[in-house]
Structures are given as C-alpha cells and as structure tokens.
Amino acid sequence: MNIRIKSAAILMAVYPSFLAAENFAVLPQLETYKVPESWRQPVAPLKIADNTWQIGTQGITSLLLKGKEGSILIDGGMEQTAEHLLENIRRLGVAPTDLKLILHSQAHADHIGSLAKLKRVTGAQVVTNAESAVLMARGGANDIHFDDEILYPPIKADRILHDGEQVVLGDLRLRVHFIPGHTPGSMAWTWEDKVDGKTADIAYVDSLTAPGYQLIDNRRYPNIVEDFRTSFARVQDFPCDLLLTPHAPASGWEFKNIAIQKKTVSCRQYAQKAEAKLNKKLEAERDTAN
Ligand SMILES: [Zn+2]
C-alpha cells in the first residue's frame, strides 16, 4: 500500500482548497541591514602605495593588491558593493579573472557581504581561518553577539590558514596575524609596499571594538576579554609604517577624491585606544551588574 498517496488524498479531502489557485498576498521585502551612507558611497580607485589601492567606499575599506602574477583583494564590503568593486578592478587594468585570491579581516556582513558574488564572477580563491570559515559558510547566522540580524550570502572557503602563515602570489607576499576579539576569527595582514619611493611596512588590522557586546560572563565567548587583551598586545608590535583599518576613520583615513591619512595613527596608538575603550566598557558593565 502506498501510504504517501493515501495521506495526500486525505489532505485534499479535508482541505479542498489545498491545490486550488488563490489570491495570495505578495511576499514582504526582506529587512535590510541598514548602515550609514558613507559605507555605501563608492569611490574611484585610490592609491595607498605603489601596488595597494582602496577600491571600496568612503567608509569601508576594500584593498586591491596588484601583482605581476595576479591580484589579491582584502575585504569586499557590503553585499551591494560587488558590482562597484568589479568596476574598480577593471579600472585599474586588472581583468576580473586575474583576481586570484580573496582575503579578509572579519566575517561580518559589512566587510565580506559581496564575497560570494566576487568569488563566483572572478573564480578567485577565498583564503581565511577556521573560525571565520564557519561563520562565512553560514552567511553570518548564529553570530555570538548579533544572532541572525547581520546576514549575507554564504561563502565557501578554499584555504584555511594558521596564525603567522604567509600567503604568496607571485611578487605579493602577506602574513596573517590572528587577533580574536571583535570576532573570534578576526585577522590582521602585514606586507611590504613602496610609498613615495620608500619601502613601507603596511598593516591592515581588523576592528578592535566590541559594539553592544556582553564582555562579562558571556556564555558563548567566555574568554572574550582575555582574547582582546592578547590581541591588543600583538597589534602594538606589528611592523607598521602605515596602518589601515576596515573602517577608514579608525586609522585616521579619509577616502574621497584621494586617499589621505588626515591623522596618523600608529598600530600602538590604535591598540592602546581600543584597550582604553574596552576598559571603560568593562567598568560600565560592572556598574550595571552591581
Ligand atoms: Zn564587525
């Protein structure tokens, strides 16, 4: 006896309208992840160093590293930035298929929302660490602090890095540094490039902020404060002639007609300021608990 057919027949008998056409209401729009306008304001390719270009928006950094044997992208910004990034890559004389590697700072929507599309269009390999790969694969769902509020198209990682590992593509050579805190998979990248004819150590360091996070007794991230402190100490010691951050103003940069670091911020200053802010936040959390 075919039970499935029988139960379908019962369903149709009980609900005669089950298969009939009806005037269903149109489905609602999805609630978008709303962000400041500067994060969505595209900029033309802006030169940072000889081979390092900002190609994202005024408020969000997406770096293209041009190499002799292909290019590397670090961070892709918001989901709606994909087409703009492809356009800027072309404007720099790089064919989308010459983009070989995609790296990133953290696995939040404002920095990797566009990566699934960029990977599909360019065929570039996504290089990340294990913690970020998990969050990426589920499109930001089940985030420790944000639940399912900040989602993006899921991204499959092609290569998993370990702390301190080097990523090499032709003449481009970068080192990854794990700096957990803002996310458990947060990363910094360091590499050399030329600024005004001189070799400079560039550091692209993830956010060190804890926006709305519970720091004390966080059941999902019990070691969050210790992780932050270890990361602050690491960031202070990075080779860092030039600091860049996923959110431009955090390192004093302004991306408009040109890229200019209006206020020089060293890696040491960046880490110390973040630590002072975290201490304040901890104090406030203790005060409300008491
Ligand atoms: Zn974030």
Side-chain angles (χ1 to χ4, degrees), residues 33 39 105-111 143 146 150 182-183 186 206-207 209 211 213 246-247:
Y33 167 43
W39 297 17
S105 55
Q106 54 169 285
H108 281 160
D110 42 343
H111 307 288
D143 186 282
F146 300 122
I150 305 178
H182 182 77
T183 66
S186 283
D206 195 17
S207 306
T209 55
Y213 294 4
H247 293 278

Side-chain angles (χ1 to χ4, degrees), residues 134-147:
V134 173
L135 194 53
M136 271 180 162
R138 41 183 207 225
N142 197 20
D143 186 282
I144 291 166
H145 309 283
F146 300 122
D147 292 325

Side-chain angles (χ1 to χ4, degrees), residues 50-284:
D50 280 11
N51 299 314
T52 305
W53 295 78
Q54 151 67 350
I55 61 167
T57 63
Q58 284 185 0
I60 305 272
T61 310
S62 298
L63 298 172
L64 188 77
L65 273 62
K66 280 181 76 174
K68 290 193 175 79
E69 289 169 41
S71 293
I72 297 177
L73 176 74
I74 316 180
D75 276 351
M78 311 280 305
E79 183 181 345
Q80 58 269 51
T81 319
E83 281 302 332
H84 166 66
L85 293 178
L86 287 165
E87 175 63 24
N88 267 353
I89 288 170
R90 284 189 206 99
R91 284 172 78 170
L92 284 169
V94 176
T97 49
D98 285 338
L99 184 73
K100 300 299 182 195
L101 300 176
I102 296 174
L103 319 177
H104 72 106
S105 55
Q106 54 169 285
H108 281 160
D110 42 343
H111 307 288
I112 63 164
S114 70
L115 293 193
K117 179 163 186 186
L118 289 177
K119 177 178 155 83
R120 195 166 63 240
V121 172
T122 64
Q125 295 216 313
V126 171
V127 180
T128 182
N129 59 13
E131 282 281 7
S132 292
V134 173
L135 194 53
M136 271 180 162
R138 41 183 207 225
N142 197 20
D143 186 282
I144 291 166
H145 309 283
F146 300 122
D147 292 325
D148 286 354
E149 293 159 25
I150 305 178
L151 302 176
Y152 51 86
I155 306 146
K156 186 181 159 292
D158 297 292
R159 175 177 162 193
I160 301 293
L161 297 168
H162 292 96
D163 189 21
E165 205 172 328
Q166 287 200 347
V167 172
V168 180
L169 177 73
D171 55 333
L172 300 175
R173 182 179 294 267
L174 300 93
R175 187 183 293 280
V176 69
H177 311 260
F178 291 6
I179 49 163
H182 182 77
T183 66
S186 283
M187 288 173 275
W189 293 93
T190 54
W191 67 97
E192 275 184 7
D193 200 346
K194 282 212 160 111
V195 180
D196 298 329
K198 275 190 238 154
T199 302
D201 286 312
I202 300 183
Y204 182 59
V205 185
D206 195 17
S207 306
L208 298 175
T209 55
Y213 294 4
Q214 181 189 334
L215 297 172
I216 301 167
D217 296 333
N218 189 318
R219 271 186 274 176
R220 296 205 52 205
Y221 195 170
N223 297 324
I224 186 167
V225 175
E226 288 86 341
D227 274 4
F228 264 121
R229 295 214 188 281
T230 308
S231 297
F232 295 147
R234 295 197 80 183
V235 170
Q236 294 200 38
D237 289 336
F238 285 157
C240 185
D241 296 322
L242 195 64
L243 169 67
L244 290 152
T245 47
H247 293 278
S251 46
W253 284 89
E254 184 184 277
F255 299 140
K256 284 189 177 163
N257 295 324
I258 54 163
I260 181 166
Q261 197 175 21
K262 289 203 142 178
K263 183 174 169 274
T264 307
V265 179
S266 67
C267 282
R268 180 167 297 270
Q269 289 166 330
Y270 180 56
Q272 285 175 348
K273 198 173 162 194
E275 178 145 42
K277 236 178 143 181
L278 189 90
N279 287 339
K280 235 179 157 179
K281 204 175 175 315
L282 269 169
E283 249 172 64

